Amino acid sequence: MGEKIYGLLGRKLGHSWSVPIHQALGCEDYRLIELEPGQLGDFLRREDVAGLNVTIPYKRDVMSFCDVIDPAAAAIGSVNTIVRREGRLYGYNTDIDGFLYMLDRAGISLTDKKVLVLGSGGASLTAQAAARRAGARKIVVVSRSGPDNYENLDRHQYSDVLINTTPIGMWPNMEGRPVDVWSLDVTAVADVIYNPGRTELLLQAEEIDRDFHRMSDAPRDVLVNAGLRPIRYTGGLPMLVQQAKRAEELFSGREIPDSETERILAGLWQERTNIVLVGMPGCGKTTVGRELARLSGKPLVDLDEEIVRRAGKPIPEIFRSEGEGAFRDLESQVLADACAQGGQIIATGGGVVLRKENRIAMRRTGRVYFLRRPLSQLPTDGRPLSQAGRLEEMFQVREPLYQAVADAEIDNGTTPAGAAHWIWNEFCG
């Protein structure tokens, strides 16, 4: 696109995925543009500015510099896309296109629904506009200090759709969630956050849905009393890619099929998502992990090796000198660091599932695979707990945790290459 400037305008953009998305859509010169508030005016007056996406905190500020504002953007009250045509700046909002695409893709309807929107910022305005366009029956905006807030949320327990537009749970501060999904009777949850792929809010929705389907043969009153029901849920990555696709259409004046959105989504999934291997000590996680690293090109993180490197001593020595508690603390820290990186193969230790925070960390940024192997085939050398003659007891405690954290299970009774191929095909499928 020549000497013209195309890019994402914001203040702090180190976390953004927009450059690879727009480059995949054909805008090779797309870049990140970080400016302070006082620099906006001079920059937007430059004649070589051709097309911009706008993010926090400037979606409202740029409106005063636009010569023409699209009616949909004016109704929302924010602009996230600017295009220069014949010397004039045109402001649009493509977030709403991305938002509606995200919901439709997940099978979430807002028509005639009571919609609970968490947050009151720019993303909230988009969600509210989308709900109005879709014909929502009622829209409730929950903020920290508004009339509907987190202290009186119980009066909206019987809502239909929950939409999170707050930054709670977003990388790099991924811990926490704005509300407890178990306390609400919603049947759909959407989170506009795209990194991590599964926020703790979405993990709760997924847990309720999974438990419902596991117990679907139970009497209805049992399911209701347990708070179980089918829940549709989605994270924000489809919204991010679709709004970029629509912005690129405005930049270039050409129509781009939605199949491009799906192609880019699949690529980002494979590139950025961790593959996490769990299972009993000695079940083959490291060996299968090496094969997966060779197949995928992703780096392998062997959790036990990283623990040894950081501690400066073998794991049996950590157990002897500091105890199992100190080992588990270090294990949790190493795991959290590895999961936060994204795009890796992570071979975990057998007991990593014992802590809830570890199970959450693995699922937030990865797809988790439970490797099974008969206990009689598990080696015990160099494994303090396995050598204590407690394998059967350990397995009884850990098996339900492996099952709860896993997205898929595989019987690792074949070759490591065969197991790796199965996992990679499942992951890419």
Side-chain angles (χ1 to χ4, degrees):
M1 294 188 178
E3 301 289 327
K4 299 296 184 181
I5 293 176
Y6 293 88
L8 175 66
L9 173 63
R11 195 170 189 183
K12 301 294 181 183
L13 302 174
H15 68 285
S16 174
W17 293 10
S18 291
V19 169
I21 292 172
H22 280 270
Q23 289 179 344
L25 288 164
C27 190
E28 295 181 359
D29 298 327
Y30 195 91
R31 63 200 198 207
L32 301 179
I33 304 164
E34 294 186 342
L35 297 178
E36 292 300 313
Q39 300 174 293
L40 278 181
D42 288 342
F43 178 77
L44 291 172
R45 294 185 191 100
R46 291 178 53 163
E47 293 185 359
D48 54 353
V49 170
L52 299 172
N53 290 115
V54 185
T55 189
I56 297 170
Y58 298 136
K59 290 185 180 184
R60 298 182 191 181
D61 294 345
V62 298
M63 296 180 75
S64 63
F65 297 99
C66 292
D67 300 294
V68 180
I69 296 178
D70 181 74
I76 295 171
S78 69
V79 161
N80 84 316
T81 301
I82 296 176
V83 182
R84 184 181 296 279
R85 299 193 187 101
E86 299 178 349
R88 306 179 79 197
L89 293 182
Y90 290 73
Y92 301 89
N93 192 304
T94 65
D95 280 338
I96 192 168
D97 301 280
F99 186 87
L100 290 169
Y101 182 87
M102 170 187 72
L103 295 186
D104 184 65
R105 188 175 185 272
I108 298 174
S109 171
L110 303 182
T111 305
D112 200 32
K113 299 293 196 301
K114 180 177 179 180
V115 180
L116 202 58
V117 180
L118 306 181
S120 55
S124 174
L125 296 176
T126 299
Q128 294 172 54
R132 287 192 295 270
R133 182 184 294 185
R137 172 171 50 86
K138 186 173 183 179
I139 303 168
V140 177
V141 178
V142 178
S143 62
R144 284 174 295 194
S145 57
D148 293 295
N149 54 67
Y150 298 97
E151 299 301 318
N152 59 28
L153 193 61
D154 57 340
R155 67 186 185 182
H156 298 296
Q157 175 184 350
Y158 298 105
S159 300
D160 299 299
V161 181
L162 175 68
I163 300 171
N164 178 44
T165 69
T166 78
I168 298 174
M170 184 171 68
W171 186 93
N173 302 311
M174 296 182 287
E175 296 181 359
R177 59 184 182 274
V179 297
D180 183 355
V181 182
W182 285 98
S183 69
L184 301 169
D185 200 37
V186 296
T187 55
V189 176
D191 197 328
V192 300
I193 292 172
Y194 64 86
N195 184 16
R198 292 189 282 199
T199 60
E200 290 191 27
L201 188 75
L202 292 182
L203 287 175
Q204 271 201 329
E206 183 178 330
E207 179 185 9
I208 294 170
D209 184 71
R210 286 175 64 172
D211 287 352
F212 170 83
H213 285 97
R214 286 171 179 166
M215 297 177 59
S216 58
D217 292 335
R220 186 178 183 280
D221 61 328
V222 172
L223 297 173
V224 170
N225 290 336
L228 301 180
R229 67 276 190 193
I231 293 186
R232 295 185 182 275
Y233 50 89
T234 179
L237 189 57
M239 175 181 173
L240 176 72
V241 178
Q242 182 70 2
Q243 69 80 25
K245 193 268 291 189
R246 177 62 186 135
E248 198 61 41
E249 290 178 330
L250 293 169
F251 293 166
S252 64
R254 63 187 174 90
E255 186 174 342
I256 302 173
D258 287 343
S259 59
E260 282 296 279
T261 296
E262 293 303 315
R263 178 184 67 84
I264 293 169
L265 279 171
L268 288 170
W269 161 262
Q270 291 182 23
E271 177 187 351
R272 309 266 177 157
T273 304
N274 294 317
I275 296 177
V276 186
L277 307 179
V278 300
M280 288 291 285
C283 72
K285 298 183 292 293
T286 298
T287 307
V288 172
R290 290 194 187 103
E291 290 291 332
L292 274 168
R294 183 184 62 80
L295 272 177
S296 65
K298 294 175 180 281
L300 170 66
V301 177
D302 184 293
L303 215 62
D304 284 350
E305 288 182 1
E306 181 62 16
I307 290 169
V308 169
R309 187 190 68 80
R310 291 200 193 184
K313 63 182 76 170
I315 288 176
E317 179 58 30
I318 299 174
F319 270 77
R320 282 194 298 269
S321 62
E322 302 176 46
E324 183 177 355
F327 170 79
R328 296 298 176 202
D329 289 343
L330 180 56
E331 179 182 55
S332 294
Q333 184 57 60
V334 172
L335 176 70
D337 293 345
C339 290
Q341 291 297 313
Q344 304 188 108
I345 310 294
I346 303 176
T348 67
V352 74
V353 295
L354 294 173
R355 289 189 173 182
K356 182 178 181 180
E357 63 263 35
N358 293 347
R359 301 195 295 272
I360 291 173
M362 289 186 282
R363 291 181 60 77
R364 269 197 301 244
T365 57
R367 187 160 179 85
V368 184
Y369 294 87
F370 172 22
L371 273 61
R372 289 183 174 273
R373 177 172 284 179
L375 297 186
S376 60
Q377 297 179 18
L378 300 181
T380 59
D381 290 348
R383 306 177 190 277
L385 297 180
S386 298
Q387 288 178 335
R390 295 167 47 195
L391 271 179
E392 183 67 40
E393 176 187 338
M394 286 166 53
F395 184 69
Q396 288 179 359
V397 171
R398 295 178 182 182
E399 182 186 27
L401 300 177
Y402 293 140
Q403 291 175 320
V405 77
D407 294 289
E409 299 183 17
I410 176 173
D411 183 358
N412 191 25
T414 59
T415 64
H421 274 280
W422 185 92
I423 292 171
W424 183 241
N425 287 336
E426 198 278 343
F427 180 79
C428 295

